[in-house]
Amino acid sequence: LHEWLHSFGLADEYAYSKEEAPFYCRNKNFVNVAIFNDVPPYTGDGDVRARHSDVIPWLPYLSATAKLTTGDQLGSPVRGDLGIFPSNTCKIVVPPLKSWKPTSYSTVMENPHTNYIPKPYWTAILSGIGIAPTRITELLKRSVKPEWLINNSNTQPVNPPTPLGTETSKEL
């Protein structure tokens, strides 16, 4: 699954090796990883949106009240689903580059043994297989729920989701 998801524009979220980093960290257009060095201080969440909306692809998925800064630094202050969190992806590249991801939880792109796939990733996957945007919105409203967040003690979802397309009439 992990390798297949690369075909939808998802990057690895684990640290690239010294050999891989120069190649992969040049591409800054990933669905799930934004690669850029932040330039603090930030005056607040609106400042982050204004300065980085062109390089953080999941910003449209964040609520208007999502915390994107901790003090005057970039980065969501609370672990959770959908925010801006440091990623290990490009930490080895020289000169140093910071990378960011939309969740603090380990996803399938960081650990192939984890089956957690956040909403922005699902949007890219469903769009990539030709599902219309209105249908994607409908499916994700019904299918991506916060209680699926990873229970980090065993890296399994707390309540596994019903696979898309297998809804029962009761769920519809």
Side-chain angles (χ1 to χ4, degrees), residues 36 38-56 59 64 66-69 71-75 84:
F36 66 94
D38 58 329
V39 186
Y42 292 91
T43 58
D45 303 326
D47 189 19
V48 171
R49 290 176 191 275
R51 290 165 59 179
H52 300 302
S53 63
D54 60 330
V55 293
I56 303 174
L59 274 179
K67 295 293 296 167
L68 308 178
T69 56
D72 64 358
Q73 302 294 308
L74 181 62
I84 298 175

Side-chain angles (χ1 to χ4, degrees), residues 22-125:
F23 177 77
Y24 289 110
C25 294
R26 287 185 315 200
N27 181 354
K28 299 179 183 180
N29 299 313
F30 296 112
V31 170
N32 61 321
V33 175
I35 302 168
F36 66 94
N37 285 323
D38 58 329
V39 186
Y42 292 91
T43 58
D45 303 326
D47 189 19
V48 171
R49 290 176 191 275
R51 290 165 59 179
H52 300 302
S53 63
D54 60 330
V55 293
I56 303 174
W58 60 88
L59 274 179
Y61 297 95
L62 304 181
S63 73
T65 59
K67 295 293 296 167
L68 308 178
T69 56
T70 303
D72 64 358
Q73 302 294 308
L74 181 62
S76 298
V78 178
R79 278 181 46 97
D81 189 43
L82 298 188
I84 298 175
F85 300 93
S87 166
N88 290 321
T89 305
C90 293
K91 74 179 187 179
I92 293 177
V93 74
V94 176
L97 273 175
K98 288 187 179 179
S99 54
W100 307 89
K101 62 181 193 166
T103 181
S104 66
Y105 297 112
S106 181
T107 74
V108 69
M109 297 312 293
E110 183 174 7
N111 177 352
H113 302 289
T114 299
N115 58 5
Y116 177 55
I117 302 174
K119 184 176 181 176
Y121 304 17
W122 276 115
T123 300
I125 296 162

